[in-house]
């Protein structure tokens, strides 16, 4: 092989200078034969001879050898060490131009060559995007839609390019949505359907494309796939069911696409999703709950869904999975419950359905993702609901679990949500019994620590809760306030010029509230609170300034 290959390389360079078509064809045939026998060795010799620099001329659509030239590049670029040489030789632009060719073999070899050169290289794939390859390939898919080989080549290319963030807007400016939906509707082979779905998933991350896919009828097509595979016994049926239902959920993440499918609660897609929640398929139960969580991203939808009885379906799903512990379904159903509980008018309705009782059954869960959603659901349910907050706040099992999770330093989300729920139970119940249950359980130290959180909303929630504790039962909390360093924390908050106005305001309220305790009063006197408050009298926020004057009077009177 060595001598004939070297001869072919030398002859090719001469033939190119003389433009002898027959000689060029013969040389290309020899190169292909050598590559098929030992790709790595032949590619190395081609690199040594620097013959790739001659190939842009061979990739001219007007030449008869463009197909063979593209095939050689496709073979050569299978090797990692040759890809940069192909780029340096300037092969990408002429290859992209060849995609406008009508010859099927040229198209296939060109697609292979580009795919191999850019394999796993985002920078080179981005270069293809900048050269306008996406609209070219979409048009090619449209023209050659019944050509299986060309279609597959386009899908392989889309699979790589669709992952690029820079490609999404170009895709959105083409009719990729319509073409892929038509292609999916015609497919009977599982592998081809999987290829198309694999392209659709990353494209559907873009909100513009989400809407285009919905308008092109993708969801109806996916629902058919779900129906065809839900009772299937083959592994490929399970894969297709998961991919199709997951993609429907993904399309609902876009606000416009979600509302289009909701259709005021009358949409066939929305109605179908409701039937998934009680399904015998865990995958459909999961997808159904996630879809409801996505549909419930605005108050109007939430209110309508609670009226349709969706809460009972979600609660039944949660009840089923308390025993088997299917974490993904628990997480999804709790997400939906939490979202549905956000509108004020839904809270009392959902509580009367026993929502809190069902959610509490998951308290023993050791899965942080479930714990996080459980806490969020309860917090939404008791917001402004004094009776429910008192009932939960005096539940010793719940309070004990909350206090455990307040120490979950390995899971910041769970720790934050448990602190917020602890605070919410106090703030919304304003109950002395709740205060005593939480204080006696050791909750004060967590609320004081929460007041130094980086998030203003959490700082504020803790300060208000501490203020309620001080107002309702200062005696029972006095020792914990001392041990947790509450006075020192308040001093730091008021000393910090970057503290938000609401933090300054509620800190001063709390200072006034704890003055009824002798040891706390003494701790306040030992720090220069009066100086800090005097400065705040000139605060641009009038509410803060007025409270500073009142606090100054209180501190002055009580010495």
């Amino acid at each position: 092989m060595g001598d004939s290959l070297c001869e072919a390389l030398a002859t090719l360079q001469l033939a190119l200078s003389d433009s002898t078509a027959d000689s060029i064809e013969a040389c290309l045939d020899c190169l292909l034969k050598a590559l098929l026998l030992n790709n790595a060795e032949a590619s190395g010799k081609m690199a040594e001879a620097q013959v790739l620099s001659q190939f842009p001329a061979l990739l001219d659509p007007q030449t008869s050898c463009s197909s063979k030239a593209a095939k050689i590049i496709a073979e050569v670029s299978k090797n990692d060490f040759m890809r940069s040489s192909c780029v340096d030789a300037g092969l990408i632009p002429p290859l992209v131009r060849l995609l406008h060719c009508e010859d099927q073999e040229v198209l296939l070899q060109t697609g292979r060559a580009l795919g191999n050169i850019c394999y796993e290289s985002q920078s080179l794939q981005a270069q293809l995007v900048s050269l306008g390859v996406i609209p070219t390939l979409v048009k090619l898919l449209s023209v050659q839609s019944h050509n299986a080989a060309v279609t597959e080549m386009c899908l392989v290319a889309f699979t790589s390019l669709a992952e690029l963030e820079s490609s999404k807007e170009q895709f959105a400016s083409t009719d990729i949505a319509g073409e892929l939906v038509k292609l999916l509707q015609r497919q009977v082979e599982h592998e081809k359907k999987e290829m198309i779905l694999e392209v659709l998933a990353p494209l559907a991350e873009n909100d513009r494309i989400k809407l285009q896919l919905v308008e092109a009828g993708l969801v109806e097509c996916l629902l058919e796939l779900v129906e065809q595979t839900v009772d299937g016994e083959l592994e490929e049926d399970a894969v297709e069911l998961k991919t199709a239902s997951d993609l429907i959920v993904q399309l609902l993440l876009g606000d416009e696409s979600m509302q289009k499918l909701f259709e005021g609660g009358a949409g066939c897609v929305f109605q179908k999703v409701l039937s998934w929640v009680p399904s015998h398929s865990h995958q459909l139960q999961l997808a159904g709950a996630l879809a409801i969580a996505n549909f419930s991203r605005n108050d109007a939808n939430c209110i309508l869904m609670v009226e349709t009885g969706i809460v009972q379906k979600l609660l039944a799903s949660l009840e089923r999975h308390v025993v088997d512990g299917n974490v993904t379904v628990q997480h999804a159903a709790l997400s939906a419950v939490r979202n549905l509980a956000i509108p004020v008018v839904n809270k009392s309705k959902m509580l009367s359905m026993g929502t809190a009782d069902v959610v509490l059954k998951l308290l023993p869960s050791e899965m942080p993702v479930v714990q996080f959603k459980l806490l969020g659901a309860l917090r939404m349910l008791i917001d402004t609901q004094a009776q429910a907050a008192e009932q939960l706040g005096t539940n010793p099992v719940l309070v004990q679990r909350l206090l455990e999770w307040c120490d979950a330093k390995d899971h910041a989300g769970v720790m934050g949500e448990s602190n917020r729920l602890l605070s919410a139970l106090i703030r919304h119940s304003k109950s002395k019994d709740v205060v005593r249950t939480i204080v006696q359980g050791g909750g004060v130290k967590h609320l004081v620590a929460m007041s130094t959180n980086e998030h203003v909303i959490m700082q504020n929630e803790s300060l208000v809760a501490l203020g309620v504790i001080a107002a309702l039962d200062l005696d029972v909390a006095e020792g914990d306030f001392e041990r947790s360093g509450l006075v020192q924390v308040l001093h730091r908050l008021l000393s910090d010029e970057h503290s938000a106005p609401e933090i300054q305001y509620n800190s001063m309220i709390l200072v006034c509230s704890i003055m009824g305790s002798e040891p706390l009063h003494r701790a306040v006197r030992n720090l220069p609170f009066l100086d800090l408050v005097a400065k705040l009298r000139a605060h641009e926020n009038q509410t803060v300034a007025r409270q500073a004057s009142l606090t100054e009077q209180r501190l002055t009177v009580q010495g």
Side-chain angles (χ1 to χ4, degrees):
M1 179 190 79
D3 293 341
S4 59
L5 176 58
C6 292
E7 186 180 338
L9 291 169
T11 306
L12 178 61
Q13 290 177 327
L14 289 171
L16 284 167
S17 60
D18 294 341
S19 299
T20 310
D22 292 342
S23 301
I24 292 172
E25 291 271 1
C27 293
L28 295 179
D29 287 336
C30 184
L31 292 183
L32 278 171
K33 186 177 179 182
L35 287 164
L36 292 174
L37 285 172
N38 190 325
N39 193 313
E41 184 184 339
S43 296
K45 289 188 179 297
M46 288 177 67
E48 288 173 19
Q50 299 183 336
V51 73
L52 286 179
S53 60
Q54 307 294 322
F55 270 69
L58 298 173
L59 295 171
D60 190 312
Q62 305 303 317
T63 66
S64 59
C65 59
S66 56
S67 173
K68 286 180 182 175
K71 187 174 182 179
I72 288 170
I73 297 167
E75 292 299 320
V76 164
S77 55
K78 286 180 180 178
N79 303 290
D80 286 346
F81 67 89
M82 289 299 292
R83 287 173 189 150
S84 59
S85 298
C86 291
V87 176
D88 295 341
L91 299 182
I92 290 181
L95 283 168
V96 171
R97 287 193 291 273
L98 271 185
L99 289 174
H100 293 280
C101 179
E102 294 181 2
D103 184 283
Q104 179 182 329
E105 184 61 20
V106 173
L107 289 171
L108 290 176
Q109 299 305 333
T110 300
R112 284 185 63 223
L114 285 169
N116 289 345
I117 291 172
C118 299
Y119 180 68
E120 290 190 341
S121 169
Q122 288 201 346
S123 60
L124 291 178
Q125 289 164 3
Q127 188 176 329
L128 288 184
V129 173
S130 68
L131 288 169
V133 75
I134 288 173
T136 302
L137 286 171
V138 174
K139 184 178 179 183
L140 189 59
L141 182 65
S142 172
V143 173
Q144 302 276 352
S145 60
H146 292 282
N147 185 319
V150 173
T151 296
E152 189 166 326
M153 181 269 286
C154 289
L155 290 174
V156 169
F158 291 149
T159 302
S160 297
L161 297 175
E163 297 286 350
L164 296 176
E165 199 52 45
S166 60
S167 72
K168 300 290 200 295
E169 287 307 310
Q170 268 204 36
F171 273 117
S173 301
T174 69
D175 189 29
I176 187 67
E179 293 301 332
L180 289 177
V181 171
K182 283 187 286 187
L183 198 60
L184 185 60
Q185 288 167 337
R186 288 199 301 269
Q187 297 310 312
V188 291
E189 293 177 33
H190 172 75
E191 285 186 10
K192 273 289 180 67
K193 285 190 277 192
E194 273 296 303
M195 282 187 77
I196 298 166
L197 292 171
E198 197 176 334
V199 175
L200 287 166
L203 287 178
E205 293 170 5
N206 178 275
D207 283 354
R208 279 180 67 195
I209 301 176
K210 277 187 181 76
L211 186 58
Q212 291 168 5
L213 290 169
V214 167
E215 291 174 338
L218 175 61
V219 180
E220 290 75 8
C221 189
L222 293 172
L223 287 173
E224 282 185 35
L225 287 183
V226 168
E227 289 296 316
Q228 291 163 12
T229 56
V230 66
D231 294 317
E233 296 179 359
L234 300 175
E235 185 179 342
E236 63 187 37
D237 291 327
V239 170
E240 204 166 286
L241 175 69
K242 181 178 186 333
T243 308
S245 55
D246 283 352
L247 189 48
I248 290 173
V249 172
Q250 189 174 349
L251 291 170
L252 295 173
L253 286 169
D255 288 338
E256 283 189 87
S257 54
M258 179 270 286
Q259 283 300 99
K260 190 170 184 66
L261 293 170
F262 188 66
E263 292 184 64
C268 64
V269 175
F270 172 65
Q271 295 298 327
K272 195 67 184 175
V273 161
L274 294 188
S275 72
W276 289 357
V277 179
S279 165
H280 61 83
S281 161
H282 282 187
Q283 172 57 34
L284 286 191
Q285 291 172 30
L286 170 64
L290 288 173
I292 290 164
N294 287 340
F295 277 125
S296 57
R297 288 204 312 278
N298 67 53
D299 284 4
N301 289 6
C302 287
I303 293 165
L304 188 59
M305 280 194 278
V306 168
E307 290 173 357
T308 65
I310 190 58
V311 174
Q312 290 90 333
K313 288 185 171 69
L314 289 168
L315 296 182
S317 178
L318 279 172
E319 292 261 30
R320 284 201 301 277
H321 292 290
V322 167
V323 178
D324 72 13
N326 188 307
V327 173
T328 55
V329 177
Q330 289 174 346
H331 177 266
L334 287 169
S335 296
V337 168
R338 179 199 175 280
N339 287 359
L340 289 169
I342 292 173
V344 174
V345 295
N346 281 359
K347 298 179 192 297
S348 58
K349 291 179 184 177
M350 291 177 68
L351 286 165
S352 67
M353 295 173 194
T355 304
D357 295 331
V358 175
V359 172
L360 286 173
K361 290 182 181 181
L362 294 170
L363 270 181
S365 174
E366 294 300 329
M367 302 304 295
V369 290
V370 173
Q371 295 166 356
F372 180 76
K373 289 297 180 181
L374 177 154
L375 291 163
L378 290 177
R379 187 165 61 81
M380 285 300 113
L381 282 167
I382 66 161
D383 187 20
T384 71
Q385 304 299 304
Q387 186 177 346
E390 182 166 12
Q391 188 177 355
L392 292 180
T394 51
N395 180 328
V397 177
L398 171 62
V399 172
Q400 183 55 42
R401 198 69 165 129
L402 285 181
L403 295 171
E404 287 174 27
W405 289 338
C406 282
D407 276 324
K409 293 182 173 56
D410 291 338
H411 303 287
V414 172
M415 188 167 70
E417 273 294 335
S418 54
N419 274 289
R420 294 191 74 185
L421 180 54
L422 201 65
S423 161
L425 291 170
I426 295 167
R427 290 184 292 110
H428 296 301
S429 70
K430 294 183 175 61
S431 159
K432 198 167 188 176
D433 290 336
V434 172
V435 166
R436 289 199 168 180
T437 302
I438 290 173
V439 171
Q440 289 167 359
V444 167
K445 65 179 180 181
H446 298 298
L447 292 170
V448 173
M450 182 182 170
S451 68
T452 62
N453 192 277
E454 61 182 317
H455 301 292
V456 172
I457 190 168
M458 290 180 66
Q459 282 186 291
N460 204 45
E461 287 171 355
S462 68
L463 290 170
V464 173
L466 290 166
V468 172
I469 291 173
L472 292 179
D473 209 334
L474 182 57
D475 290 342
V476 78
E478 180 183 73
D480 287 328
F481 280 166
E482 271 195 281
R483 285 186 289 275
S484 61
L486 173 62
V487 173
Q488 290 75 17
V489 168
L490 292 173
H491 183 265
R492 285 202 301 275
L493 291 173
L494 289 170
S495 301
D496 185 356
E497 59 185 28
H498 299 296
S499 283
E502 57 267 40
I503 302 304
Q504 294 168 326
Y505 175 82
N506 283 315
S507 294
M508 288 187 286
I509 291 280
L510 191 47
V511 168
C512 293
S513 297
I514 62 177
M515 293 291 281
S517 157
E518 179 54 38
L520 295 172
H521 186 173
R522 191 164 51 247
V524 169
R525 283 203 311 269
N526 289 338
L527 290 170
F529 273 94
L530 203 53
D531 295 339
L532 293 175
V533 171
K535 288 180 183 177
L536 289 171
R537 280 194 291 109
H539 201 285
E540 60 184 16
N541 183 303
Q542 291 302 305
T543 304
V544 172
R546 279 195 298 272
Q547 184 57 46
S549 296
L550 292 171
T551 305
E552 184 180 32
Q553 290 171 22
R554 181 74 181 272
L555 290 171
T556 304
V557 169
Q558 294 198 250

